[in-house]
């Protein structure tokens, strides 16, 4: 075998650069399912199913090309034997003895190290191919960071808009403005979200059903449910999901992307992260289809504000986050700016908390393997920050529970954006808010036993108490930054007695993890 082309579970496209010039007469494709990938990182059953099913569907595509393929299935090797991905790869390299191993850049720093070590040990030269799935290469991002003290998504995004000619009118941004964020922050009306068109749902086919049976048997103790599995596992399905989103849901995405409501797991969101992250569809085709729909249908049918808001997520945030990951690893995994050491409350795995917002967000996470951005950032991530939880434990949780979780995108979002664990390398301030924000952006607080406006006392919202406690604890640091100085000024208006009461209540919450148990005890006083 001249070249052995290894295709990883999140590289499922025929344009994979490692497959360029593939010659079936001399080359082979290798795909490996490894149980360690689901247990080394604790994993939601739907997440395991997404990966395995998409890989098995891609196996069919490779075979349809007439290409020779070695596919190592999860149960092809005796249980417990060679469970780790790299153990399985090492055995394949020994057996196949290729002249060269070809791989597209992977989505995880640890995996990259593992592959290199494995190839070196086997004496097989490893050839990395730059991942053309992204519009901004790792080198391009590194160049962008050079000489910049602060990395700001907005600056990066504008360069990407110009460079890739997205939403441009000559050399000016379409509509005369780069950013329409101010139009995109609405809560749902007080009467509720009303009718939201359904996202595309894909009934499990035979392959997916077989994988589900395997996952239920082999990973029975893993969190999450498979009862609501709707995810695309092929390119065709990814494209259908994109089409459905543009035709029916993009219109509401813009204004309501930050809104939350009980039992509304998907809102107007696109649910495209799985198809994108597995490389089933290319971000460029997503961006082009959305821009084209706007240009063809016009401002009335698809306003620019929402279209720009969506493209900002894909061309801006997604590319930026990936660049940050490769610049900041391996340190990002250890980053802990505030030195937080508390363990993750057990109820993150069950949703059994009296806080209605977190109960809803965790509940849907376990049911669907999905929560939208603001739920992840301003509920689950923010609570973990305010409750002083060890960032490593938080990152492990996020990596486990979401169907779209791959470390390159999960870790910068968790450690960098939600927890400020890297000390604000790319965010200008910690994302913190009291329960009042949740109350404004959702209906969770109605019917919750806590009251978002109360800082102390038996009915105080833990999010609110811990928000004020966070300001109190980090007063000097927050006062020194113009972005957070105003928050601190509000804190400084409180009397010493009020501040002491916040400290006591926070200590009681944090030490007793009091809000965790259903029907937990009341406050300290
Ligand atoms: P939409 O809201 O419809 O957005 C469209 C697309 O934009 C997404 O599919 C995604 O590809 C991209 N996007 C939007 N925001 C981001 C962002 N902050 N970073 C990167 N891409 C973005 N995304 C993941 O794909 N995997 C993760 O494991 C993940 N973990 C996260 C953890 C935290 C704490 C936070 C705050 C965000 C995380 N995100 C993650 C980003 C974002 O929340 C998800 O991409 C999004 O919720 C996926 O749902 P959607 O496809 O309906 O997205």
């Amino acid at each position: 075998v001249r070249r052995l082309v290894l295709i990883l579970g999140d590289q499922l496209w025929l344009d994979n650069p490692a497959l360029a010039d593939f010659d079936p007469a001399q080359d082979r494709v290798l795909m490996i399912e490894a149980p360690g990938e689901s247990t080394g990182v604790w994993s939601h059953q739907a997440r395991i199913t997404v990966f395995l099913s998409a890989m098995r569907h891609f196996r069919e595509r490779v075979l349809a090309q007439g290409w020779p393929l070695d596919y190592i299935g999860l149960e092809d090797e005796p249980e417990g034997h060679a469970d780790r991905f790299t153990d399985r790869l090492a055995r394949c390299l020994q057996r196949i003895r290729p002249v060269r191993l070809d791989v597209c850049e992977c989505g995880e720093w640890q995996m990259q190290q593992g592959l290199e070590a494995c190839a070196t040990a086997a004496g097989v030269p490893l050839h990395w191919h730059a991942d053309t799935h992204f519009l901004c290469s790792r080198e391009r991002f590194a160049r962008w960071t050079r000489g910049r003290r602060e990395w700001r998504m907005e600056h990066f995004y504008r360069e990407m808009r110009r460079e890739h000619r997205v939403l441009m009118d000559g050399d000016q941004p379409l509509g005369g403005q780069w950013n329409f964020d101010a139009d995109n922050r609405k809560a749902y009306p007080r009467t509720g979200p009303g009718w939201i068109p359904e996202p595309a749902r894909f009934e499990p086919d035979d392959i997916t059903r077989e994988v589900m049976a395997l996952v239920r048997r082999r990973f029975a103790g893993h969190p999450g449910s498979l009862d609501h599995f709707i995810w695309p596992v092929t390119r065709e399905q990814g494209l259908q999901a994109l089409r459905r989103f543009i035709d029916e849901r993009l219109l509401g995405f813009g204004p309501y992307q930050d809104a939350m409501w009980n039992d509304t797991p998907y809102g107007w969101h696109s649910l495209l992260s799985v198809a994108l992250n597995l490389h089933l569809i290319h971000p460029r085709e997503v961006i082009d289809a959305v821009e084209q729909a706007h240009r063809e249908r016009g401002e009335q049918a698809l306003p620019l504000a929402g279209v720009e808001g969506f493209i900002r997520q894909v061309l801006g945030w997604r590319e930026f986050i990936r660049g940050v990951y490769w610049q900041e690893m391996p340190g990002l995994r250890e980053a802990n700016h505030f030195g937080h050491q508390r363990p993750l409350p057990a109820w993150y795995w069950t949703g059994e908390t009296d806080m209605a917002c977190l109960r809803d967000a965790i509940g849907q996470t376990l049911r669907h393997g999905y929560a939208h951005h603001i739920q992840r950032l301003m509920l689950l991530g923010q609570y973990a920050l305010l409750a002083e939880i060890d960032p490593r434990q938080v990152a492990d949780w996020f990596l486990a529970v979401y169907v779209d979780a791959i470390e390159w995108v999960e870790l910068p979002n968790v450690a960098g954006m939600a927890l400020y664990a890297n000390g604000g390398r790319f965010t200008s301030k910690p994302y913190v808010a009291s329960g009042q924000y949740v109350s404004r952006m959702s209906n969770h607080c109605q019917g919750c036993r806590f009251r978002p406006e109360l800082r102390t006392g038996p009915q105080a919202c833990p999010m609110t108490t811990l928000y004020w406690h966070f300001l109190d604890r980090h007063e000097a640091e927050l006062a020194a930054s113009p972005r957070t100085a105003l928050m601190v000024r509000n804190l400084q208006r409180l009397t010493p007695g009020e501040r002491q009461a916040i400290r006591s209540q926070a200590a009681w919450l944090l030490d007793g993890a009091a809000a965790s148990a259903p029907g937990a005890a009341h406050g300290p006083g």
Side-chain angles (χ1 to χ4, degrees):
V1 172
R2 182 186 65 157
R3 292 195 307 158
L4 183 63
V5 179
L6 173 65
I7 298 197
L8 301 171
D10 59 347
Q11 304 177 339
L12 307 176
W13 55 323
L14 286 176
D15 290 332
N16 185 324
L19 284 169
D21 308 321
F22 187 84
D23 176 3
Q26 313 183 66
D27 304 336
R28 289 186 81 78
V29 176
L30 172 65
M31 297 177 70
I32 299 175
E33 297 176 1
E37 291 305 290
S38 314
T39 52
V41 173
W42 195 237
S43 206
H44 192 296
Q45 294 192 8
R47 178 171 182 266
I48 307 175
T49 302
V50 157
F51 275 89
L52 295 185
S53 175
M55 285 177 75
R56 290 180 183 199
H57 281 91
F58 192 71
R59 169 178 63 187
E60 303 302 308
R61 284 196 82 134
V62 171
L63 291 174
Q65 301 288 310
W67 292 346
L69 166 71
D70 282 66
Y71 191 99
I72 316 295
L74 196 73
E75 301 202 305
D76 289 351
E77 301 203 12
E79 208 165 324
H81 187 73
D83 274 355
R84 286 188 320 166
F85 184 91
T86 43
D87 296 337
R88 290 187 160 200
L89 174 61
R91 287 157 66 88
C92 291
L93 292 178
Q94 232 171 31
R95 179 167 52 82
I96 302 170
R97 300 239 129 262
V99 175
R100 196 171 98 176
L101 178 65
D102 282 49
V103 198
C104 172
E105 287 171 341
C106 51
E108 212 187 275
W109 188 86
Q110 192 71 38
M111 175 66 97
Q112 179 172 303
Q113 309 304 306
L115 294 186
E116 278 174 1
C118 201
T120 305
V124 176
L126 168 57
H127 186 79
W128 288 110
H129 295 258
D131 190 352
T132 48
H133 168 83
F134 292 92
L135 282 89
C136 177
S137 69
R138 292 187 197 173
E139 289 67 33
R140 172 71 184 91
F141 191 84
R143 230 182 319 128
W144 179 78
T145 60
R146 244 168 256 151
R148 280 174 203 269
R149 210 166 45 82
E150 293 182 324
W151 304 348
R152 291 291 171 261
M153 199 290 290
E154 186 65 30
H155 304 152
F156 168 80
Y157 167 65
R158 291 180 189 184
E159 264 191 54
M160 290 295 109
R161 288 264 301 269
R162 283 204 189 88
E163 197 163 305
H164 297 282
R165 307 227 40 84
V166 174
L167 293 180
M168 295 300 291
D169 189 359
D171 59 359
Q172 291 304 309
L174 194 64
Q177 228 172 290
W178 291 104
N179 182 326
F180 292 83
D181 241 12
D183 299 340
N184 290 340
R185 297 243 167 92
K186 290 193 174 55
Y188 292 127
R190 276 226 283 249
T191 49
W195 179 73
I196 302 178
E198 288 270 298
R201 291 170 186 268
F202 301 98
E203 278 298 307
D205 63 2
D206 289 347
I207 294 180
T208 303
R209 277 201 299 275
E210 196 180 291
V211 168
M212 285 173 154
L214 171 65
V215 168
R216 286 196 170 105
R217 192 173 70 242
R218 187 88 189 244
F219 304 106
H222 282 234
S225 159
L226 287 177
D227 295 343
H228 312 274
F229 190 90
I230 61 167
W231 301 102
V233 288
T234 65
R235 171 164 170 77
E236 290 67 32
Q237 292 178 344
L239 290 172
Q240 273 177 46
L242 170 61
R243 196 40 50 212
R244 171 80 76 96
F245 171 67
I246 291 174
D247 289 345
E248 301 189 10
R249 292 164 59 81
L250 174 56
L251 181 62
F253 173 88
Y256 297 122
Q257 59 183 281
D258 286 5
M260 298 177 280
W261 202 262
N262 288 331
D263 300 320
T264 310
Y266 305 124
W268 291 86
H269 289 264
S270 72
L271 275 63
L272 287 174
S273 51
V274 167
L276 279 167
N277 293 356
L278 267 48
H279 292 22
L280 302 177
I281 57 176
H282 195 284
R284 181 81 225 198
E285 63 194 332
V286 173
I287 292 164
D288 286 350
V290 168
E291 174 164 2
Q292 194 190 351
H294 168 72
R295 290 192 189 260
E296 283 175 9
R297 298 178 201 179
E299 179 65 22
Q300 281 292 348
L302 277 180
L304 178 59
V307 163
E308 187 281 314
F310 182 79
I311 287 179
R312 161 189 305 273
Q313 307 307 317
V314 181
L315 178 64
W317 278 112
R318 187 169 186 273
E319 299 282 335
F320 178 76
I321 284 287
R322 187 224 183 207
V324 166
Y325 177 77
W326 288 105
Q327 285 293 296
E328 294 275 88
M329 282 302 279
L332 190 57
R333 184 121 178 84
E334 310 300 325
N336 192 351
H337 176 71
F338 294 119
H340 289 161
Q341 301 293 343
R342 295 178 190 274
L344 187 79
W347 51 259
Y348 262 72
W349 297 103
T350 63
E352 289 173 10
T353 166
D354 278 359
M355 284 176 274
C357 55
L358 290 169
R359 194 168 61 229
D360 182 80
I362 295 172
Q364 75 164 67
T365 297
L366 295 173
R367 268 192 309 281
H368 304 281
Y370 179 86
H372 70 66
H373 187 70
I374 290 300
Q375 295 176 299
R376 297 189 207 197
L377 181 66
M378 297 307 286
L379 297 180
L380 298 156
Q382 159 167 254
Y383 185 81
L385 168 62
L386 297 179
E388 304 179 349
I389 297 164
D390 173 7
R392 287 281 300 254
Q393 294 195 28
V394 183
D396 287 346
W397 183 84
F398 272 98
L399 195 58
V401 296
Y402 291 110
V403 283
D404 55 23
I406 302 177
E407 197 180 59
W408 70 262
V409 54
E410 172 266 341
L411 189 59
N413 271 300
V414 174
M417 201 185 302
L419 302 181
Y420 204 74
N422 60 349
R425 190 81 158 100
F426 65 88
T427 51
S428 54
K429 59 173 183 167
Y431 285 99
V432 287
S434 74
Q436 305 261 51
Y437 170 84
V438 179
S439 171
R440 223 173 28 252
M441 295 309 294
S442 76
N443 69 338
H444 295 319
C445 304
Q446 294 163 24
C448 181
R449 85 167 185 76
F450 301 111
R451 288 179 41 197
E453 71 281 11
L454 298 180
R455 286 187 288 259
T456 51
Q459 286 188 296
C461 167
M463 203 82 101
T464 302
T465 310
L466 295 177
Y467 165 76
W468 288 96
H469 175 249
F470 181 86
L471 300 187
D472 181 53
R473 205 165 156 212
H474 303 292
E475 183 175 358
E477 180 176 339
L478 298 173
S481 158
R483 294 293 305 269
T484 42
L486 186 65
M487 288 178 178
V488 176
R489 247 173 273 142
N490 289 331
L491 173 79
Q492 289 164 345
R493 288 204 192 98
L494 304 186
T495 64
E498 284 171 321
R499 287 179 72 154
Q500 190 49 49
I502 290 168
R503 284 181 201 141
S504 311
Q505 178 125 357
W508 171 81
L509 276 172
L510 294 174
D511 294 338
S516 64
H522 302 284

